[in-house]
Amino acid sequence: MMKKYALLGFIGFCAVYAGFSAVTALPAFAVDNMQSTDAPDLTSVRAKIDAKDYAGALTELRGLAEDNQQADVYNLMGFTLRKTGDYKTSLTYYTKALELQPDHKAAREYLGELYVETGEMAKAEEQVASLKQLCPSGCEELEDLQKAIAAKTGN
């Protein structure tokens, strides 16, 4: 009998959070620094993000964040929160990721995209400058952030 109520509670929880997955307007292509060796397995989280199941990704990431002080976990947490519209908390997690790993290119890109989405273009440009230093020959993260800025400013 207890299992039945637990299952019903879980189904209700999923139903409540399912509505959050439709919050985004832009495609979600979450990346992290693949060179990290101390990261937990984020395959399931990435699959949820790719499927725009942000509520599911957040649930999994919150559990991982409790057990792992790791830049990739915090970066993906920030990304997922940003996609649900929680910009303030997203900023907190990007900041944590960059405190742990200042050269985390994906966190720099996503932080810049957060600034673009919130209209803080000067701060977005600061992230462009950081990415130019991290990848002087260019990189996908720099290109993506520059595209986001251009789309917002019409340039």
Side-chain angles (χ1 to χ4, degrees):
M1 190 68 153
M2 200 61 175
K3 287 183 183 179
K4 180 179 177 183
Y5 290 115
L7 179 60
L8 289 174
F10 176 73
I11 290 170
F13 173 80
C14 291
V16 168
Y17 281 96
F20 289 121
S21 65
V23 174
T24 185
L26 298 173
F29 302 107
V31 296
D32 46 37
N33 283 6
M34 300 304 281
Q35 300 112 356
S36 297
T37 56
D38 59 340
D41 184 4
L42 297 170
T43 305
S44 174
V45 170
R46 286 188 205 102
K48 286 178 175 94
I49 290 171
D50 288 345
K52 296 185 171 113
D53 176 12
Y54 300 123
L58 277 174
T59 299
E60 192 170 337
L61 283 163
R62 282 190 176 113
L64 290 170
E66 288 177 15
D67 299 330
N68 298 279
Q69 279 207 336
Q70 209 282 330
D72 288 340
V73 172
Y74 290 149
N75 177 51
L76 290 178
M77 187 78 157
F79 178 89
T80 306
L81 287 162
R82 178 169 56 95
K83 290 299 183 179
T84 65
D86 187 349
Y87 298 130
K88 184 177 179 181
T89 311
S90 175
L91 176 62
T92 300
Y93 280 97
Y94 289 140
T95 302
K96 285 182 178 185
L98 291 169
E99 285 173 2
L100 291 171
Q101 189 177 342
D103 64 345
H104 197 289
K105 293 184 289 188
R108 295 253 172 230
E109 174 195 344
Y110 293 155
L111 178 57
E113 289 174 2
L114 170 67
Y115 289 138
V116 169
E117 290 175 27
T118 58
E120 298 181 73
M121 302 309 287
K123 290 183 178 182
E125 290 292 347
E126 289 173 11
Q127 297 309 310
V128 167
S130 293
L131 283 167
K132 284 181 178 179
Q133 288 183 330
L134 291 172
C135 35
S137 301
C139 60
E140 182 179 349
E141 294 85 359
L142 174 59
E143 291 172 19
D144 289 348
L145 179 52
Q146 289 172 323
K147 286 177 190 175
I149 291 170
K152 180 77 171 192
T153 61
N155 293 338

